[in-house]
Amino acid sequence: MLSNLHTHTTFCDGRSTAEEMVKAAIEKGFTSLGFSGHAYTPYELTSCMKDEQGYINEINRLKELYKGRIEIYLGTEEDALYPVDRSKYEYIIGSLHVLKLDGAYLPLDIGKEYMQKCFEAFGKSVERMAYNYYSSFADYLMKRRPDIVGHFDLITKYDEVCEPIFLGNKKHDDIAKVFLHSLASKGFLFEVNTGAIARGYRTLPYPSLDLLHVLKKEGADITLSSDCHDKDFLDCKFEDIKAMLKDVGFKEITVLCKHKFTKIPL
């Protein structure tokens, strides 16, 4: 069963329209497709939706148009610092894209230069920046309880294409594991996200392999997503990552099917 719940379109920072995504999903044999447009944030306008109602109307239109051919779900990806009206959506992905420091908002993932500026704002302290990120994210997750935890270690996004800051750094790894251990047994659904692979930033998904072992040890549930911004990458590296997950010890992944989160064999 092919499914992806993390899909971005031209309503936010995606390259493909919603209907192009649906057609590609049908062609690839997907059973379900969930849209997760970046929710509006006043402090970072590069990636977010400006026409939320237009997005909602279009996804609902496609639901009717393609009924019987594919299940389509209306979701959103909200930033931890600016929650949305949850009642408008069938599910939400909770992510942290921006750090707040001394009243300033510091974007993490809209470009390598922004990540570097963020690191400099923390005095180039791996420990300070990692603690800010994971503690803020964990606090949001516990209070908000989103349906899916988005790219848990997004802070490591550029470490494979730039001089590494966080990946493999013991201070970062220890902090990430402490917070993940505290969250993994709390019933959250964590996504295994291949989006940075599709965009050439990483060779492995979020979370990193050592964090996937933490999730497995704690018995956490996972879902596989492509964080898709381009219709050609809807199932980016899915088969490779499924094999990796089996090696870690996972036997199931969770999909949204018939309006329920359902576990299926890997």
Side-chain angles (χ1 to χ4, degrees):
M1 179 183 291
L2 267 176
S3 176
N4 179 59
L5 295 176
H6 197 152
T7 311
H8 298 291
T9 71
T10 50
F11 278 98
C12 53
D13 60 344
R15 294 183 178 182
S16 304
T17 67
E19 189 159 9
E20 286 172 338
M21 289 289 193
V22 172
K23 289 179 178 178
I26 292 172
E27 186 175 333
K28 290 174 180 287
F30 274 64
T31 302
S32 62
L33 180 66
F35 287 95
S36 57
H38 283 294
Y40 176 80
T41 54
Y43 44 76
E44 203 292 281
L45 299 175
T46 304
S47 304
C48 67
M49 292 188 290
K50 317 301 189 300
D51 182 11
E52 181 188 33
Q53 192 57 52
Y55 165 73
I56 291 171
N57 292 344
E58 175 64 0
I59 304 310
N60 285 332
R61 181 186 76 85
L62 295 173
K63 280 187 179 192
E64 291 300 313
L65 183 62
Y66 290 93
K67 184 183 293 185
R69 299 178 67 187
I70 187 171
E71 294 179 17
I72 296 174
Y73 295 98
L74 172 63
T76 189
E77 182 180 14
E78 70 176 14
D79 188 75
L81 301 183
Y82 203 77
V84 301
D85 178 354
R86 198 166 185 166
S87 67
K88 296 180 180 180
Y89 298 100
E90 293 174 275
Y91 68 94
I92 59 172
I93 298 174
S95 301
L96 181 59
H97 302 97
V98 176
L99 297 186
K100 192 173 183 180
L101 180 67
D102 299 329
Y105 292 92
L106 306 169
L108 288 172
D109 73 331
I110 59 173
K112 292 175 282 187
E113 66 278 13
Y114 285 92
M115 174 64 82
Q116 186 60 40
K117 288 178 182 178
C118 188
F119 188 46
E120 290 170 359
F122 282 91
K124 294 189 175 181
S125 168
V126 169
E127 190 171 15
R128 283 185 64 210
M129 185 167 165
Y131 187 83
N132 182 300
Y133 174 81
Y134 290 109
S135 63
S136 298
F137 199 12
D139 183 61
Y140 155 80
L141 292 171
M142 291 301 297
K143 291 176 179 175
R144 180 67 162 165
R145 305 291 305 191
D147 300 286
I148 300 170
V149 178
H151 35 56
F152 180 74
D153 54 346
L154 178 68
I155 195 173
T156 68
K157 178 174 180 175
Y158 299 108
D159 276 4
E160 288 190 45
V161 292
C162 299
E163 185 174 347
I165 298 172
F166 302 105
L167 278 178
N169 182 290
K170 188 176 186 305
K171 290 180 180 179
H172 163 268
D173 294 349
D174 287 349
I175 291 169
K177 287 177 183 177
V178 164
F179 281 102
L180 189 58
H181 272 293
S182 72
L183 294 165
S185 61
K186 299 295 195 299
F188 290 106
L189 176 59
F190 291 83
E191 72 166 355
V192 179
N193 179 316
T194 67
I197 301 174
R199 292 187 284 284
Y201 296 122
R202 294 175 67 108
T203 57
L204 292 173
Y206 311 105
S208 60
L209 188 58
D210 56 341
L211 297 182
L212 287 174
H213 280 285
V214 172
L215 292 176
K216 176 62 181 67
K217 181 179 179 180
E218 297 291 344
D221 293 331
I222 59 169
T223 186
L224 181 57
S225 78
S226 60
D227 196 346
C228 187
H229 288 66
D230 183 318
K231 63 182 177 60
D232 293 333
F233 296 98
L234 263 173
D235 56 352
C236 177
K237 296 292 183 180
F238 273 15
E239 292 308 310
D240 292 343
I241 302 307
K242 285 179 181 179
M244 186 187 77
L245 292 171
K246 287 179 182 179
D247 288 342
V248 172
F250 288 101
K251 299 185 184 303
E252 299 173 319
I253 58 174
T254 298
V255 298
L256 189 52
C257 177
K258 300 186 186 303
H259 301 279
K260 292 182 180 179
F261 284 101
T262 305
K263 294 180 184 180
I264 62 170
L266 267 171

